[in-house]
Amino acid sequence: MTNIFHDQSAQALPISYILTFTLSVGLLVIVIISYQVMVAGTSKQAMRVSYADIGNDVAGTIADIYLTASAGSTGNVTRTIRIPTEVAGEGYIIEPSDSPFTTEYNPNEAIKISAEHANVVVYVPLSNIDQSIDVSGKAYSGAGELKVEYDINKTITLS
């Protein structure tokens, strides 16, 4: 057997394999750790963005129904919208809430979307409807759809 540490023929293959393998494993470990840190840091932010999108859709639906009903409608108006059952693997709740940005000039409610286990809450203001309209109800994402109902008594119900 030849001495590979004093080989002058530039063919010390076992050492190059060991060095290449060690560098590759080190690089792979760095990439995996970096990915885990990146995913853990952005999942709540991604949930907030998704909840804001869903909330804007619900608030827009409520405004559409309100405008349709206030244009002289004498019956009930119902609209069903499809919503995702989960966001980032978590179910969520859609409900009306007192707006955290309530002021003298903005007394309306907001749509609150929250995930209990992820501790994420997003508020979307209902600024296009009259403050005398009562918005009530609660909807869970597991159904995959949200029903918005406006009745003649000026109430909007989420279910």
Side-chain angles (χ1 to χ4, degrees), residues 2-129:
T2 62
N3 189 355
I4 63 172
F5 293 109
H6 299 291
D7 189 1
Q8 300 294 323
S9 64
Q11 297 197 17
L13 294 178
I15 290 179
S16 67
Y17 287 143
I18 292 170
L19 288 174
T20 304
F21 179 74
T22 304
L23 290 173
S24 299
V25 168
L27 183 63
L28 182 64
V29 167
I30 289 171
V31 168
I32 289 173
I33 290 172
S34 298
Y35 176 77
Q36 293 296 327
V37 168
M38 181 183 66
V39 168
T42 60
S43 65
K44 284 192 176 185
Q45 182 62 29
M47 288 176 79
R48 285 186 184 95
V49 169
S50 296
Y51 289 166
D53 287 344
I54 295 167
N56 285 327
D57 192 23
V58 173
T61 301
I62 290 173
D64 289 347
I65 286 178
Y66 170 71
L67 292 173
T68 302
S70 65
S73 175
T74 57
N76 297 339
V77 179
T78 302
R79 183 167 176 207
T80 302
I81 57 174
R82 298 189 58 77
I83 58 173
T85 56
E86 292 182 344
V87 172
E90 294 282 336
Y92 54 93
I93 301 169
I94 302 172
E95 60 188 331
S97 174
D98 291 333
S99 177
F101 18 81
T102 298
T103 64
E104 173 183 349
Y105 303 105
N106 184 20
N108 293 324
E109 293 180 297
I111 295 298
K112 175 184 171 186
I113 302 176
S114 60
E116 294 177 20
H117 301 295
N119 201 18
V120 176
V121 178
V122 173
Y123 294 91
V124 178
L126 292 174
S127 55
N128 294 334
I129 65 170

